[in-house]
Amino acid sequence: MNALLDDFLLRALLGGLGVALAAGPLGAFVVWRRMAYFGDTLAHAGLLGVALGVLTGLSENLGVLLACLGIALLLVVLQRQRRLATDTLLGILAHTSLSLGLVGLALLDNVRIDLSAYLFGDILAVSRTDLLWIWGGGLLALTVLVLLWRPLLAITVHEELARVEGVPVAAVRVSFLLLIALVVAVAMKVVGILLITSLLIIPAAAARRFARSPEGMAALASLGGCLAVCGGLAGSLRLDLPAGPAIVVCATLVFVAGLLWPQRR
């Protein structure tokens, strides 16, 4: 019994750490580029991905990934028209995809879906297959981010100047959106649809106070996410709390502690 308990706790810890390591550097760019609502939109699309995965017989993880990638690409296409602002488009896509997902799941009369596990995460049920999905997707995202680091940083600082210097702004922007979609898809199992964006934003926001360079902020954001995962799992086991929300609460505590920490002049 103890061995079984240790095994599922180890899988939960490895899954959470894999998501935190990938979400930290991407979250730094989300904070810099003020794209928090884009993460929410992709998170809402995750439920549509679950419905598509079940309806088509694909795995739910693959369905979530395809839905997130599709929403990211659709946003790129819609942004080419200048009639509606980006935040308006994100609001439309977020609520439409969430509603379509709920309607799709309601049509599955012969399949029972635990919505709470998708909404708030089910990290304690992470399997070995999920670990391969999380770490494989996370390592892929980090590898691509390393390759895109300089051009992405350039367009974040000054997009027009980066374009003059020859940076392929459109390609870099689309690649970044797809990376966020990938991380959102792999993170859904850990913190759930409603809380994914918090794991992207809160550790990065906490790291911003202490970082002296972009690379330093990315590393500190990953460290903060790992601390939140460890603290959330410990609180979940000791106090019988839902693991996903407990992780987010710990991330918030890390952020508050950073605000209260005396800053050197």
Side-chain angles (χ1 to χ4, degrees), residues 192-228:
I193 291 169
L194 298 181
L195 303 174
I196 284 175
T197 312
S198 61
L199 203 57
L200 279 168
I201 296 173
I202 298 177
R208 192 170 192 172
R209 180 178 175 86
F210 302 99
R212 295 294 180 266
S213 68
E215 294 79 9
M217 180 170 166
L220 287 175
S222 291
L223 177 60
C226 290
L227 291 176

Side-chain angles (χ1 to χ4, degrees), residues 155-172:
I155 69 172
T156 300
V157 174
H158 198 299
E159 184 170 311
E160 293 303 322
L161 181 59
R163 181 177 285 109
V164 170
E165 292 179 346
V167 175
V169 174
V172 172

